[in-house]
Amino acid sequence: TTFAAPASSRNHPTLTFRGDTPTFSGNGGCNRLAGQYEVRGDAMTLSAAGTMMACPGADATETAFKAALSGTRAYRILGRTLELYGDKRQLLARFEG
């Protein structure tokens, strides 16, 4: 399943989760990444590695995207929306499917 940041977000980061393996891939707006995820109930952790190209104008989006992925401890799916939450249940990112 592919999720993308809302259209109002600059550079539109994306995440694609594979259904047959606990892996995902994505794009932070400039750099590509891939990794694994673990889900237990509503708990989720993501680990990823990716490219490190210079991205003028996209650095803030890339930094926020990577921080959201590494800080994810829980998730919620509401219809076609994926929300990622941190360890204090703070919303880190919202993606639309």
Side-chain angles (χ1 to χ4, degrees):
T1 305
T2 299
F3 292 94
S8 62
S9 178
R10 190 170 183 220
N11 300 318
H12 311 291
T14 63
L15 286 175
T16 300
F17 292 88
R18 293 191 50 160
D20 57 341
T21 64
T23 60
F24 69 95
S25 60
N27 187 308
C30 175
N31 287 291
R32 294 181 314 268
L33 58 89
Q36 296 183 337
Y37 66 92
E38 183 177 344
V39 172
R40 290 190 180 159
D42 68 346
M44 174 187 269
T45 55
L46 302 161
S47 59
T51 60
M52 303 269 302
M53 297 183 296
C55 303
D59 289 337
T61 299
E62 289 273 334
T63 300
F65 180 65
K66 290 175 183 176
L69 296 183
S70 67
T72 295
R73 299 296 175 264
Y75 77 102
R76 182 168 67 163
I77 295 176
L78 300 168
R80 296 180 51 88
T81 301
L82 169 67
E83 296 178 338
L84 303 178
Y85 293 90
D87 59 355
K88 295 180 182 174
R89 291 291 189 182
Q90 73 277 24
L91 180 64
L92 300 176
R94 179 176 290 126
F95 297 90
E96 297 173 358

